Amino acid sequence: MKIVLGPASEELGENIAKLVGTEVVPVVFKTFPDGESYIRLDGEVKKEEVFIVQTTSPPQDSRLVQLALMIDAAKRNGARKVTAIVPYLAYARQDKTFLQGEDVSIETVANMLGAVGVDSLITVNVHQEKVLERSPFPARSLSAIPLLAEYFKRKGFEKAFVLAPDEGALHIVEEAKKILGDECGYLEKHRDRYTGTITAEKKEKFDVKGRTVIIFDDIISTGGTIVAAAKIMRELSAREVYAACVHPLLIGDAEKRILEAGVEEIVGTDSVPSRVSKVSLAPLISKELKERKSG
Ligand code: R5P
């Protein structure tokens, strides 16, 4: 088994390799003056089972192309089996056509990776797990929610109220609640498909007055979802509000806007390396690889 250090996730790849106790294959990469990507695997992969670690957070398109080039390079150089470890799987939110004339982007991405020869894929908290059922190769989504919940437990927040900013994140807070062990609830969110404007409201019955609230989501992108949820929690007199996510994309001034909305701290994972990536996915992914190694 060898771990290929994709340029987007070098540090995570190294940490996974250390925990698994396996050799790494560095990657030489550059961008040509016209914007095209170049990669070269700087090590032997012949007859090896190879795991390529490469997240596809922004710039998604070039990182996806780099991933495709690495898969192809591994196959051409004789790798026995190639698994892509893609902590943040780009395009997963477009998992159906919402408006007439659209594509299903996640299927296009999966077909592209399948076409260059990937044998399987491991991702983390993909937006909708059911999209993986349509993948042309075996694909699995691991969950980093227990790791995030443990982070808050270590801070002494066992009794926090865990909030899903929309119904789609309810399964996430139910998972967090197993560790944080108290109550959970969700808000109803509406996103205007044309303007992107987000509005949220509380329809469910719950009381957060004087309580610590932790909002859990899979992705923080523009921050609009967390800002809307935090504002409602403040209006309902929550004592303090925290935000946790697996994939902290934090586009533009998202972090600033979230903190200005009264959130004490934002916690994310190194799925997307950022200032808030306080929880590493290395233990989660290495455990999966060790199980595959022994199985
Ligand atoms: C969507 O349903 C996702 O789970 C997130 O809530 C969403 O991607 C967050 O996006 P933003 O930060 O732009 O509101």
Side-chain angles (χ1 to χ4, degrees), residues 93 127 166 189 191 198 217-225:
R93 281 173 290 178
H127 187 57
D166 55 38
K189 178 176 95 175
R191 187 191 294 268
I198 290 164
D217 208 350
D218 55 346
I219 304 167
I220 299 180
S221 181
T222 64
T225 301

Side-chain angles (χ1 to χ4, degrees), residues 2 48 166 182 199 206 242:
K2 285 196 180 177
E48 293 282 352
D166 55 38
D182 211 18
T199 47
F206 57 76
Y242 289 80

Side-chain angles (χ1 to χ4, degrees), residues 1-294:
M1 176 188 284
K2 285 196 180 177
I3 296 194
V4 173
L5 305 177
S9 298
E10 260 178 18
E11 196 179 331
L12 177 61
E14 271 169 10
N15 292 335
I16 295 169
K18 269 186 214 145
L19 292 176
V20 178
T22 194
E23 217 180 298
V24 300
V25 176
V27 174
V28 177
F29 70 97
K30 65 181 175 186
T31 306
F32 288 108
D34 61 1
E36 289 179 3
S37 296
Y38 167 92
I39 66 97
R40 180 171 65 79
L41 305 185
D42 197 12
E44 266 296 329
V45 292
K46 201 167 179 182
K47 297 199 177 126
E48 293 282 352
E49 173 162 17
V50 164
F51 291 85
I52 301 173
V53 188
Q54 169 89 341
T55 204
T56 54
S57 52
Q60 298 90 331
D61 295 356
S62 56
R63 287 179 167 179
L64 276 169
V65 169
Q66 285 174 343
L67 177 61
L69 299 180
M70 287 185 285
I71 294 166
D72 185 61
K75 281 288 170 121
R76 279 176 200 274
N77 285 279
R80 183 166 49 82
K81 184 175 178 198
V82 177
T83 297
I85 299 178
V86 189
Y88 174 69
L89 185 59
Y91 290 100
R93 281 173 290 178
Q94 181 77 17
D95 54 8
K96 61 180 180 193
T97 52
F98 297 91
L99 301 174
Q100 197 188 348
E102 290 178 345
D103 72 323
V104 180
S105 310
I106 188 58
E107 288 189 10
T108 309
V109 166
N111 289 337
M112 183 179 102
L113 300 180
V116 288
V118 79
D119 296 296
S120 73
L121 178 131
I122 299 171
T123 185
V124 180
N125 291 98
V126 68
H127 187 57
Q128 293 275 358
E129 272 201 43
K130 65 175 188 300
V131 299
L132 301 181
E133 289 164 15
R134 305 198 298 264
S135 164
F137 41 79
R140 168 141 206 242
S141 177
L142 308 177
S143 177
I145 299 305
L147 291 176
L148 287 165
E150 290 289 353
Y151 174 93
F152 287 101
K153 195 175 174 182
R154 283 197 296 277
K155 279 175 94 92
F157 292 172
E158 285 101 332
K159 295 277 173 232
F161 184 92
V162 280
L163 180 79
D166 55 38
E167 206 172 347
L170 194 52
H171 69 284
I172 289 179
V173 294
E174 275 162 0
E175 210 182 334
K177 203 180 83 161
K178 287 184 192 148
I179 289 166
L180 291 167
D182 211 18
E183 257 183 283
C184 68
Y186 70 96
L187 298 177
E188 290 204 4
K189 178 176 95 175
H190 176 73
R191 187 191 294 268
D192 187 305
R193 291 251 153 236
Y194 294 96
T195 64
T197 308
I198 290 164
T199 47
E201 59 183 319
K202 174 180 174 287
K203 285 196 177 160
E204 219 198 353
K205 252 193 173 176
F206 57 76
D207 186 11
V208 294
K209 194 171 175 190
R211 300 189 63 177
T212 296
V213 176
I214 309 171
I215 308 167
F216 275 82
D217 208 350
D218 55 346
I219 304 167
I220 299 180
S221 181
T222 64
T225 301
I226 298 290
V227 167
K231 281 188 179 155
I232 294 177
M233 291 303 103
R234 285 291 181 193
E235 282 160 20
L236 295 171
S237 306
R239 187 159 63 89
E240 47 185 6
V241 182
Y242 289 80
C245 72
V246 179
H247 310 294
L249 298 180
L250 295 173
I251 303 305
D253 62 353
E255 186 181 352
K256 184 168 166 272
R257 291 196 308 113
I258 291 170
L259 296 176
E260 281 173 3
V263 170
E264 307 286 333
E265 184 186 358
I266 308 166
V267 179
T269 79
D270 53 1
S271 146
V272 182
S274 75
R275 289 189 331 128
V276 308
S277 302
K278 300 166 192 172
V279 171
S280 178
L281 296 176
L284 177 73
I285 297 171
S286 59
K287 182 168 171 274
E288 172 73 14
L289 299 200
K290 280 183 195 162
E291 281 167 13
R292 290 186 182 207
K293 210 173 170 184
S294 61

